[in-house]
Amino acid sequence: MQNQKLLPSYFFFLLICLFHVSSSLRQNMQFKHAENYEGSSDLVELEYHMGPVLASSPINLYIIWYGHWKPTQQATIRDFIYSISSSSASYPSVAGWWKTVRLYTDQTGSNITGNIVLSGELYDFSYSHGTHLSRLDIQSIIKTAVTSYPTPLPLNPHNGLYLVLTSYDVQVQDFCRAVCGFHYFTFPTIVGVTVPYAWVGYSGAQCPGMCAYPFAWPKDSPPSRNGGHDVMGSPNGDAGVDGMISVIAHELAEVSSNPLVNAWYAGDDPTAPTEIADLCLGVYGSGGGGGYVGKVYKDSWGNGFNVNGVKGRRFMLQWVWNPLKRRCFGPNALD
């Protein structure tokens, strides 16, 4: 949906923290009528539409850092990417979270890969396409990255996935209004080939209450079900980056299960699909939903997290829809 209308009471939260334009009012109505805030098998009709998933192993992930980034911010995001395929993190882990994503298959029965490799990075410090970007400009940024002299990123149509991250001072169409990130596929007329990609913006300066929840709370929002606003400290000391990581996880899960927008989604409109992470907006632990994150952990400083990563990192990742359990699920679930 291009134009979003505000919903009253606690459903306001479900709307304002939209991570993907495909999260429609249909989804909000599903939660409105559900007693189980972790999702209900009676209300969700997630279907497979015979398209591919990202099953090739490994998936080579290429990051384009657009704008100015602090090294500490980049290190935190890299460690999250490394954590997806790592078996070294303690339980519950990022890799355990990704196991739910891996349950989705293509028409040959091949599962989404568990091997995502950070295979290249490009630093676009010069803001090659300016600081006010349209959605289509994201594809042009990828084109610039794969043709950059003297060290371009590889153009990999076989098992490549491109992640464009925009810094605090970059405004992107619909960012902070309707989306915190999105995924799609490139047009050959712009990039030269069709490859899946995702974009996520840094919200710490522009809209932390929208895109860095639960480490910030939306302005003028009603209290959650337990009467408070549940703002908690971010596990890596940067609410904008920690919020971004949950959005990155959200988009990676969806681009892997619906890379060409013809695989796994609910709803009748492929131009506005409700995907496997859209079904679990705002749910991070058991009992979550309606503005309540659910049962999560807190470190000794009171910072919230629900999974562990490499190098002792901790992250807060939104749950995704488990097709076997037919509900939202994460490795920190109590049942």
Side-chain angles (χ1 to χ4, degrees):
M1 285 175 50
Q2 295 300 324
N3 299 309
Q4 304 292 336
K5 295 182 179 180
L6 299 183
L7 296 181
S9 72
Y10 61 79
F11 306 109
F12 175 80
F13 163 73
L14 292 178
L15 182 58
I16 50 85
C17 73
L18 284 174
F19 288 163
H20 191 277
V21 72
S22 66
S23 302
S24 66
L25 287 176
R26 182 190 309 112
Q27 173 193 338
N28 292 328
M29 292 304 294
Q30 288 172 348
F31 280 103
K32 184 174 181 180
H33 294 294
E35 292 296 330
N36 177 7
Y37 285 92
E38 296 171 30
S40 169
S41 60
D42 296 328
L43 297 174
V44 174
E45 295 182 2
L46 185 70
E47 296 179 346
Y48 177 54
H49 299 265
M50 305 306 291
V53 301
L54 298 188
S56 299
S57 187
I59 289 297
N60 292 307
L61 179 67
Y62 305 99
I63 296 180
I64 300 168
W65 303 96
Y66 191 88
H68 288 282
W69 292 87
K70 296 178 182 178
T72 53
Q73 295 172 333
Q74 294 173 317
T76 303
I77 292 172
R78 286 191 197 100
D79 285 345
F80 165 69
I81 299 299
Y82 296 144
S83 298
I84 294 174
S85 303
S86 174
S87 59
S88 64
S90 59
Y91 173 86
S93 67
V94 174
W97 175 87
W98 190 256
K99 284 182 178 179
T100 300
V101 180
R102 294 203 64 209
L103 294 174
Y104 292 88
T105 63
D106 62 18
Q107 56 185 307
T108 70
S110 298
N111 294 81
I112 291 173
T113 182
N115 190 10
I116 296 180
V117 178
L118 181 54
S119 300
E121 301 176 65
L122 186 134
Y123 306 92
D124 194 337
F125 297 128
S126 65
Y127 302 86
S128 61
H129 293 268
T131 58
H132 291 73
L133 305 173
S134 69
R135 286 174 172 265
L136 206 56
D137 285 337
I138 303 301
Q139 295 195 31
S140 297
I141 289 172
I142 296 172
K143 173 65 174 180
T144 298
V146 299
T147 57
S148 177
Y149 179 83
T151 54
L153 286 180
L155 181 56
N156 183 349
H158 304 294
N159 58 348
L161 172 60
Y162 295 81
L163 178 61
V164 180
L165 304 177
T166 51
S167 61
Y168 71 96
D169 52 349
V170 178
Q171 298 183 36
V172 178
Q173 179 184 354
D174 292 329
F175 183 40
C176 292
R177 184 182 68 82
V179 298
C180 302
F182 63 79
H183 75 88
Y184 207 59
F185 54 87
T186 61
F187 303 149
T189 53
I190 297 177
V191 179
V193 297
T194 297
V195 292
Y197 72 93
W199 159 80
V200 179
Y202 178 84
S203 64
Q206 297 185 44
C207 55
M210 281 189 63
C211 298
Y213 177 86
F215 309 120
W217 194 266
K219 294 180 180 179
D220 303 321
S221 60
S224 62
R225 285 190 295 153
N226 64 3
H229 274 171
D230 297 328
V231 175
M232 60 181 67
S234 60
N236 297 287
D238 186 323
V241 165
D242 279 310
M244 272 189 82
I245 286 172
S246 186
V247 182
I248 291 170
H250 177 118
E251 297 303 335
L252 290 181
E254 293 187 339
V255 75
S256 296
S257 57
N258 197 27
L260 301 182
V261 200
N262 61 357
W264 289 96
Y265 63 88
D268 300 324
D269 185 359
T271 66
T274 299
E275 299 174 288
I276 68 170
D278 295 326
L279 292 167
C280 303
L281 286 174
V283 178
Y284 297 81
S286 294
Y292 172 56
V293 298
K295 298 291 185 180
V296 298
Y297 308 109
K298 289 188 178 181
D299 63 23
S300 56
W301 293 277
N303 301 319
F305 69 99
N306 63 357
V307 291
N308 297 295
V310 299
K311 303 178 184 177
R313 293 279 193 186
R314 290 167 170 171
F315 304 104
M316 180 80 88
L317 304 184
Q318 180 214 301
W319 283 7
V320 295
W321 187 262
N322 185 308
L324 302 182
K325 296 180 180 293
R326 294 188 60 80
R327 64 183 178 92
C328 301
F329 189 77
N332 59 312
L334 299 179
D335 56 355

